[in-house]
Amino acid sequence: MTASAVKRSSDNFAHHRGGAAKRRNLRTDRDGDLVMEGPKRDRIGKGPSASRGRGGSINTAALQREVLRHVGSDNRTGGPPRGPRPKSTAQSSLSEIKITGWANSKASTSPDRGVSSLITFLEKHASKRGSLFRQNGRSPAQTAKVRSSRVEGDNLYITVPSEEVSVYAKINGFVFAGQKITITGDGIRGKSPQIDNASPEPANDIKQIFQDFLGRRYNADSKLLSLNALASDEELRAVGIFNTTTTQSKFFPALMKICEAQFQTAQEKKDTIESVTLAENNLSNIAPVTTLGQTFPDLKNLDLSGNKFESTSAMIGWRHKFRHLEHLILSNNPLEQSQPGWEVEILQWFPRLRMLNGAQVRTEEQVAQLNQPKKVPLLVRGPNFEDDGNIAQDFILKFFAGFDGDRTALANTYYDATSTFSLNVNTHAIRDPTKHEMFKKQSWDAYIRLSRNLKHLTHPGPRSARKFQGPQEISKVWSQLPTTQHPSLATEFHKWSIDCIPQEGVPDPSGQYPQGVGGFLITIHGEYNETSSAAGAGTMQRSFDRTFILGPGGPTGVRVVSDLWTVRAYGGFAAFKPEEPQQNQVVAGVPQIAIMGGLTPEQEVLLAEVARATGMNLKYSKECLDTSGWNLQNALATFEAHRANLGPEAFA
Amino acid sequence: MAQYDQFMLTTVSAEAAENLLDAYYTALQGSRHTIASYYCATEKNPDGKSVPTIVWNGNVMNTGQEVQQTFEVMPYTHYDVQSLDCHVLNPTALAPEKVVGGSGEADKDIERRLSIVAVVNGSVRLEEPKEGPLRGFSETFVLVPNPEKALGKGPKAELKGWLIQNQNFRYTV
């Protein structure tokens, strides 16, 4: 990043942009005069508009001011510190501001040297820009008025309400009748004549020193910016940067500011500087250099070795910064001894860190997974059906046949006096997106009176009344519900999803084990067609979810302890289909396939043979063959010779 | 079961399920580091089976910690519970002597000893708010009394009254 490199990148940028002039913030005002918008506050120091506005040079006034603000030792800048400008508390207070640079305007031939039209010009543009004056878009609700004015030599002094000064600051640098005007005063930063005329040298000097410094410290080949051992840099010492604590503390932020100004885009910055070393800087914490995190958020490699960090808390400001950091060096810091387990914390801070102090801490795959769009980490799998002696399976087969056929008989077979049943309707369930179910009018008349949806049923009375117990109650309720036809469990199993796990603590009907005995928890999702509707309405296709707790007891030895039935609009069965693993294998396979490129068929056979015989991955197998002249015996000998030195990365 | 106050069983179980599951679904989206605290301690039974068992779309997990770790790497999720129902599973699931500060009598303290089976139905927004895929889900929980839970004041009284023992989640749409 030498000055010439910077210039080049600036030229390139202009070239890419084609007609850069088109994009400049230049425009004409209503009089046809060319107007240049003043630099926006938030772009100072990095604003391409400001720099190109001055002829394409990167030596911008804004940058100078920033440098001065950071490293200057006097009040030359005159501006307030960065941050919200202090607001005038007294609404009525007035401020005087000075306008220069207008004396030779085209309007200067008029009797008042163009002062009245200049004031009109100022008022007009101030009115357009102030939020004070703007309401409902662009029309000025209120106009900026200059309260009084006087001319001294080539200076025009105008008095305006203090709260409007910031508005005038915005039109600083505008072109009035062919002349660029400069506005100065309290609360207006920049373009002050003191800087532009009186003492431009120090700013240029310091900036030049910084740029030379960056040029010396940047290695374009390795994209490395070496900011190590800053205090011992001869040229920085020569200009006394480190003589006072003030300039010392301002040095790094100013340096970052200058770095920042070299780049037009974040991408350009990212591509130019991948690594930074701050080694051997005697830092006890990152406070003096913390701005590195803002300037280079995409850094890949960072060397902090040889500093005085006692613990990870010395770097807490960079926690979760540098989201793309791959390699961090912290060797020769006291924390290595003073904070056992510091590595773990560092790993958590930087999710893509692969190397720490030169040692691998994450694999490529682990990092690659992070770069995948964040997806649900588990795939939908088929049923988890943990049956025991087909108890659950037999029950399910008989249950749905019975429910579609003879519900009373079913209730008497599987339900005893303590069995509980309830139904709940989810009237808001998502419907099958692939069908026209979306638009089908749902009617819940046949179910809703019995629905025990606790989300809606809030009173204890109905909550008790809509839970049914014992075969009589249950079969009575069932008889009030539409008759059903479920899909065949034998031939249409894809329309079902059935999970079953053992369930302990199921009530023991013998009373011998009050804390319960073993049973099953069965969850079933599926669909059915109504074959009749108690309400006499049309029949519909529905989806349902049904949970059973099975336990010992009842006439068959297997009884339903609990039966919870959820009915909802038809939602299809696509969700039950197990998901296929995808992408991951492909991603992992890419580099392997890339290694195969450019090999002859014979070499491919050799490669496969070496990989098979040694267990090494293709990359290392190929390197082994490369060094062994693609001879199988030599390659295997080479492998044996180096085997002890090979790390886990060599093997697949 | 008939000998116990049915009204009490109904209200206690419904309230317990509502409170715990409300908090649970909030934790799934907002405080995933607390997820493990919703599960009962891992315990192996004489028959070789262990609790808790959590089945997420067919994937089996055996500890609350595992569920937490899975959810900690989950993308954005927002659950909308549209229906809820529950039954008392076993009124005397917790042995009387295990009730902290309890009477120790076989037929007492039922409101702190009952286990619950609860079913939830709703939708879940995945990956990103508003734009992400919307799925329907059905979830079944077995909730058991927390044997650590105490009444009155103190850290033990702050504990959850019920914990998840078994759980089954499925996308349904």
Side-chain angles (χ1 to χ4, degrees), chain A residues 64-78 199 202-203 206 210 239-251 254:
Chain A
Q64 285 182 14
R65 283 196 308 281
E66 285 304 308
V67 174
L68 286 169
R69 208 164 61 75
H70 282 292
V71 297
S73 52
D74 60 21
N75 289 329
R76 203 183 282 120
T77 53
S199 54
I206 291 166
F210 275 41
V239 294
I241 291 282
F242 301 109
N243 288 2
T244 71
T245 48
T246 325
T247 50
Q248 200 175 338
S249 68
K250 287 174 178 174
F251 164 72

Side-chain angles (χ1 to χ4, degrees), chain A residues 129-147:
Chain A
R129 271 156 195 85
S131 59
L132 282 170
F133 312 115
R134 206 161 46 216
Q135 280 178 2
N136 306 328
R138 290 189 182 164
S139 63
Q142 205 185 333
T143 0
K145 277 279 174 241
V146 170
R147 300 298 171 89

Side-chain angles (χ1 to χ4, degrees), chain A residues 550-602:
Chain A
L550 290 193
T556 65
V558 175
R559 68 179 182 122
V560 173
V561 174
S562 196
D563 173 1
L564 293 134
W565 189 22
T566 304
V567 180
R568 52 190 167 85
Y570 184 66
F573 46 84
F576 310 148
K577 197 170 176 247
E579 288 172 337
E580 301 292 335
Q582 41 174 300
Q583 284 181 1
N584 288 352
Q585 279 94 344
V586 179
V587 170
V590 166
Q592 300 263 315
I593 290 161
I595 290 160
M596 305 288 279
L599 296 184
T600 64
E602 291 82 354

